[in-house]
Amino acid sequence: MKLDNKEIFKTLNPNKVWIPVLIGIGIVFLMFYTDPSITRENLESVFDASLLSLGIAFLVIAMRDAGYVFRIREITDKKLTWTRAIYVIILWEFASAVTPSIVGGTAVAVFILHKEGIKLGKAIAYVMITAILDNLFFVIGAPIVLYLAQGSIFPESRVLELRLGKSLNLIFWLSYSLYAVYSLIMALALFYRPRVFKWVLLKIFSIKWIRKWKHNASEYGDQIIESSKELQGKKLGYWLTIILATIFIWSSRYLMLNALITAYVDLSLSQHIIVFARQIIMWIVMMISPTPGSSGTAEFFFAQFFYEFLSNYTFVTSILWRMLSYYPYLLLGAIFLPRWIRQVFFKKK
């Protein structure tokens, strides 16, 4: 993984916040003007929310962020102070918010950790652990929620049928399979046979049409081997802590929407399970979105997945959902990034 400063700072650019914001606003206005069910009364219904449930939603999302900060400290063996961990998470979330979901902020995360004084091999290892654990949450969690939801996992949506036909199930299972295979390969490479992984990479990139990337593949293989060495000897407590932290983080992320929906409508226990489960399905489908932070895609799918629960409250809830789960990281990233650059590139010299 090459850390090209110019390419990294193209991503870590405060001006990029406007791209997903404009896409999101554009989709919201398009939904407003093309959907006759969205009226002025719908917009005013935002004030119907239960303050207690809104407070719980704020609390849960704050708990999620605290979980992120705690996990990155634990993963790095507390090499980061609480303050530095907060900076890392904010900038990592910002990078994810301004890049397409399928790309993510992996290279930026490695860059940030490296600039915080962590060796490159360790930085790559830590980011890979994070990615593998996050993916495993979905790979393992999806079948569980599919079972618990008892066949109600995919919404019955006229719009989805017109746009996607019966392909939503196919998109989900294709995305799920790709994540499962990727997670398995990277876990085996990192924890079992890193040298075999490099050998396979070199064989693949010896093929005539992709031979020009063989050198990059070799470097990546070396980095996997180095990262694997960095993780050797970690105790059981280390792995249990970060695994439990991962479950806590993603559960909090999704329970926020459960709390937000109950601010407007009452949900039974089975409906809570379905709402939670559909978020996992929606997230996996959204990962193929070409827009930064799934802007536009997220708003579209939200309406299709949760209209049956929210009815006329769907539009305002989708806006609140993105305001809590997405846009704050654009704003915080734009604020914290210049400070981090001054601290890392100037004050430490």
Side-chain angles (χ1 to χ4, degrees):
M1 183 181 296
K2 292 184 177 180
L3 298 182
D4 188 325
N5 285 10
K6 289 184 179 179
E7 291 300 318
I8 295 295
F9 280 111
K10 283 182 181 179
T11 300
L12 288 176
N13 183 349
N15 292 327
K16 278 200 167 186
V17 302
W18 295 108
I19 299 174
V21 167
L22 290 175
I23 293 174
I25 291 175
I27 292 296
V28 167
F29 273 102
L30 183 64
M31 291 167 63
F32 181 78
Y33 283 109
T34 59
D35 190 341
S37 66
I38 300 175
T39 62
R40 180 178 177 181
E41 288 72 22
N42 289 152
L43 297 179
E44 292 176 349
S45 67
V46 68
F47 299 107
D48 295 343
S50 162
L51 293 180
L52 176 61
S53 294
L54 283 180
I56 293 174
F58 275 100
L59 176 63
V60 172
I61 202 68
M63 290 168 60
R64 185 208 77 157
D65 292 336
Y68 269 130
V69 174
F70 171 80
R71 184 177 69 167
I72 196 63
R73 287 196 78 234
E74 293 298 315
I75 286 177
T76 59
D77 290 314
K78 297 185 174 66
K79 294 294 191 301
L80 298 172
T81 65
W82 288 106
T83 300
R84 302 321 303 172
I86 290 171
Y87 269 93
V88 168
I89 293 303
I90 288 175
L91 295 179
W92 194 337
E93 287 291 294
F94 173 75
S96 298
V98 296
T99 54
S101 299
I102 199 169
V103 175
T106 302
V108 176
V110 172
F111 174 80
I112 294 167
L113 287 174
H114 186 49
K115 291 302 179 182
E116 287 290 343
I118 295 174
K119 290 196 310 180
L120 181 59
K122 286 187 175 182
I124 294 172
Y126 296 152
V127 172
M128 285 189 66
I129 290 172
T130 303
I132 290 171
L133 289 177
D134 287 344
N135 288 340
L136 284 178
F137 177 86
F138 298 101
V139 171
I140 297 172
I144 296 174
V145 297
L146 278 169
Y147 172 76
L148 293 176
Q150 296 294 321
S152 301
I153 194 75
F154 294 103
E156 294 182 3
S157 168
R158 178 67 175 166
V159 175
L160 284 180
E161 287 184 11
L162 290 173
R163 300 284 180 88
L164 301 175
K166 299 296 183 181
S167 61
L168 179 60
N169 291 31
L170 177 62
I171 293 172
F172 165 72
W173 286 114
L174 178 61
S175 301
Y176 175 85
S177 300
L178 290 173
Y179 271 92
V181 171
Y182 170 80
S183 300
L184 178 61
I185 291 173
M186 296 316 298
L188 290 174
L190 200 58
F191 300 114
Y192 186 59
R193 288 288 188 269
R195 294 188 182 279
V196 172
F197 175 76
K198 179 183 176 181
W199 180 83
V200 172
L201 270 185
L202 292 179
K203 287 296 182 182
I204 293 173
F205 282 90
S206 295
I207 298 172
K208 180 179 179 181
W209 298 282
I210 57 175
R211 193 175 297 161
K212 63 179 179 180
W213 292 294
K214 185 175 181 179
H215 178 70
N216 291 342
S218 178
E219 286 188 344
Y220 185 61
D222 289 336
Q223 290 168 353
I224 293 295
I225 292 171
E226 184 180 354
S227 299
S228 180
K229 291 178 181 178
E230 297 290 351
L231 297 173
Q232 290 178 0
K234 296 293 184 184
K235 296 181 179 179
L236 179 62
Y238 173 87
W239 295 110
L240 286 177
T241 300
I242 61 176
I243 289 171
L244 291 174
T246 301
I247 296 172
F248 174 84
I249 288 165
W250 286 100
S251 297
S252 299
R253 185 184 195 121
Y254 293 145
L255 287 172
M256 183 274 287
L257 180 56
N258 284 69
L260 199 57
I261 290 177
T262 56
Y264 291 101
V265 296
D266 293 327
L267 295 177
S268 65
L269 177 60
S270 61
Q271 289 175 321
H272 271 292
I273 293 172
I274 293 171
V275 168
F276 188 94
R278 284 190 181 178
Q279 290 180 76
I280 294 181
I281 305 305
M282 188 172 71
W283 187 90
I284 293 176
V285 173
M286 282 167 46
M287 285 303 294
I288 62 174
S289 171
T291 59
S294 296
S295 291
T297 308
E299 289 82 357
F300 169 77
F301 276 108
F302 182 94
Q304 313 312 316
F305 272 71
F306 302 110
Y307 179 82
E308 70 179 84
F309 303 105
L310 287 161
S311 187
N312 291 337
Y313 291 112
T314 303
F315 186 70
V316 294
T317 307
S318 69
I319 295 173
L320 288 174
W321 172 61
R322 290 295 272 176
M323 287 178 65
L324 283 175
S325 64
Y326 179 65
Y327 292 111
Y329 304 105
L330 293 174
L331 177 61
L332 289 172
I335 294 172
F336 277 73
L337 178 60
R339 298 180 183 180
W340 181 79
I341 291 173
R342 287 195 297 269
Q343 293 169 0
V344 171
F345 288 91
F346 298 102
K347 290 187 179 181
K348 290 186 178 182
K349 288 184 177 182

